Amino acid sequence: PCKNDTIRILIDELVPIKARYRVKDVITAEPQSERKKKGVQDVIKYISPGPSSVGADLRLHGFSHVFGLPEHADRLQLRDTRDDEPYRLYNLDVFAYALNSPFGLYGSVPFVLAHSSNRTLGAFWLNASETFVNIHYTAEDTFCFYMSATPHTDLHWLSESGVIDCRILLGPQPKHIFSQYAQLTGYQSLPPLFALGYHQCRWNYDDEADVKYVDAGFDLHNIPYDVIWLDIEHTDGKRYFTWDPVHFPKPIELQRHLQRKKRKLVVISDPHIKLDPDWPLFHEALGSGHFVKDRGGQIFKGSCWPGESCYLDFSNPATRAWYSRCFSLNNFQGSTSSLFVWNDMNEPSVFDGPEQTMPKDAVHSGGWEHRDLHNLYGFYQQMATAEGLLTRSGGQHRPFVLSRSFFAGSQRFGAIWTGDNVATWDYLKISIPMVLSLSVAGITFCGADVGGFVQDPDPELLVRWYQAGALTPFFRGHSAKETNRREPWLFGEEVTAAVRNTIQQRYQLLPYWYTLFYWAHTMGQPPLRPLWVEFPAEEDTFTMDNEYMIGNLFLDDGYSFRYHDTKAFSLHSFKMDSGRLCSR
């Protein structure tokens, strides 16, 4: 075992047919080996010839419950895939995604936790290519005739390319797994306090007057909020780092208007760059070699919001450094220190590409094919964005960056959300196991769009979603431009009062949320926890994904958040009393 109780299995070819990609920048520190009497090696190397794909089977003796592998719109405990499709890890732009499905969504974390009443293990498969995971549960272990009958779980990993690089985390308790995983891939960044408040977003607010109207509406109705967001329409023709000269002609004045109330503005910045030879930013990126190329060596071109676009090669450190500099106050004209960033469409989304993403034979820096590092694309963009905002402040202020796409280690750079959900009760219900799966896999600053991104929620669904969203780490209301406006005061006084009370309770709990994120930042412990994390020996909790803990302070009175059915929530009112969270 290593100092942090992690075993590494590394398998590569002695003379590969072609060079194999090894994932960089995800592992933050390799633990030093410390030999103990057990004599287990920390690194086991094999030499294995073979084709491009790689795979491995792991049998976890004594376990019949496994969790993790986000992102999927599915229950918390991973299902047996014997008679179903395997879990897929391949980042895609999936609009109104199917529910109760192992199909891959916007991000991928190839990390599994196995839990029993007396032990927790972790398995981390470090590979950024398209990956499938089959899970087989067996009630009795027949591994050895003299062993008592115990269950086991088989994990079958298969990746399109790369090497086998697997870490086994030995626990033995959930809190140890979280710490060991954070030591490997990095701790959750500590969010600025405002980021834990309420965020108001829409695709799109029409103009500066519309933003000020919404901002004034929150004041008028005594509803607290911290951040208002602008989607793609704020730009000049979908050119990021610009402002629409008609609808947003005075962006600095707008930001100062918000700043006087201690509020922030977030704007979107996608990875595609409009193919416009007359745009200086495009010309600079092209001349400096910052774009992904096609298999013929030409600049790769694909379709996205601006029309024909080119895609920045964030796998290249020089490109990331250049992109980071784009966020400086001198380069990003119209920005101020109170402006923060939202990375969207960064799976990457290519409207005319296979499965609406980049072809696998596109070529990145170093000659690597896109297939080798597909799942890292959004990871690298968020990394570069966070570094740009940190550098903008001279290292004095923590950045806030929301990303739709992610990989293991993305927790170091900011927050993620669960993408383009739908305004139905089923999507509200699935949001709970989705954020719990993210949380146990290290992506702890996460949430779902309150109210659903598409379609129009009825007033009761909207209120219930606010109540649920207020008890998740990232709390943002968001809606598509085709939907009706849904600022909280547009549904009558009863709804306004209910939403006001919910958001005010969120602000009453901000000291507690901030403390939880300090623990995540320093110890790797997730703010949101399945019940089995706090009650590891209680087997009845292992399959529960309609109830969870926020930290562990609810243990004093036994209360937690519950989702029973489509329209029944058990909610408690909380307050801080002498530094202790109490329920009443």
Side-chain angles (χ1 to χ4, degrees), residues 221-403:
H221 295 91
N222 194 29
I223 302 174
Y225 91 105
D226 267 280
V227 190
I228 193 164
W229 294 53
L230 295 178
D231 211 312
I232 54 177
E233 314 299 342
H234 83 278
T235 62
D236 182 6
K238 312 297 189 301
R239 299 172 181 87
Y240 304 107
F241 303 101
T242 69
W243 303 86
D244 185 295
V246 174
H247 298 103
F248 293 92
K250 298 180 180 179
I252 290 180
E253 181 181 305
L254 176 63
Q255 291 163 69
R256 288 174 178 166
H257 171 82
L258 297 169
Q259 198 169 22
R260 283 192 288 270
K261 302 179 184 182
K262 298 184 178 180
R263 291 169 179 160
K264 318 296 181 185
L265 182 69
V266 167
V267 297
I268 200 166
S269 185
D270 293 347
H272 49 262
I273 301 297
K274 183 173 185 175
L275 201 165
D276 178 0
D278 296 327
W279 181 23
L281 187 140
F282 171 83
H283 190 268
E284 183 180 352
L286 180 65
S288 300
H290 292 318
F291 289 127
V292 177
K293 296 180 179 179
D294 62 24
R295 62 182 300 177
Q298 303 301 309
I299 301 301
F300 170 76
K301 300 171 184 177
S303 175
C304 209
W305 298 124
E308 191 172 32
S309 303
C310 301
Y311 288 74
L312 292 170
D313 182 6
F314 291 106
S315 70
N316 185 348
T319 300
R320 294 199 300 272
W322 172 83
Y323 187 73
S324 294
R325 291 193 296 271
C326 290
F327 291 100
S328 72
L329 298 181
N330 289 334
N331 290 330
F332 190 176
Q333 296 294 313
S335 68
T336 72
S337 60
S338 64
L339 180 142
F340 297 88
V341 181
W342 169 19
N343 295 149
D344 197 6
M345 312 299 287
N346 55 345
E347 294 74 30
S349 180
V350 183
F351 291 164
D352 55 351
E355 294 192 90
Q356 201 168 308
T357 194
M358 189 173 288
K360 291 182 176 181
D361 59 0
V363 180
H364 290 262
S365 173
W368 297 108
E369 286 190 310
H370 184 69
R371 75 180 75 247
D372 298 316
L373 48 84
H374 171 84
N375 288 341
L376 283 172
Y377 190 87
F379 168 93
Y380 276 131
Q381 187 194 15
Q382 191 180 22
M383 173 193 285
T385 305
E387 179 61 30
L389 296 185
L390 185 64
T391 302
R392 181 186 71 180
S393 72
Q396 297 300 305
H397 301 292
R398 281 168 280 162
F400 170 71
V401 183
L402 179 76
S403 176

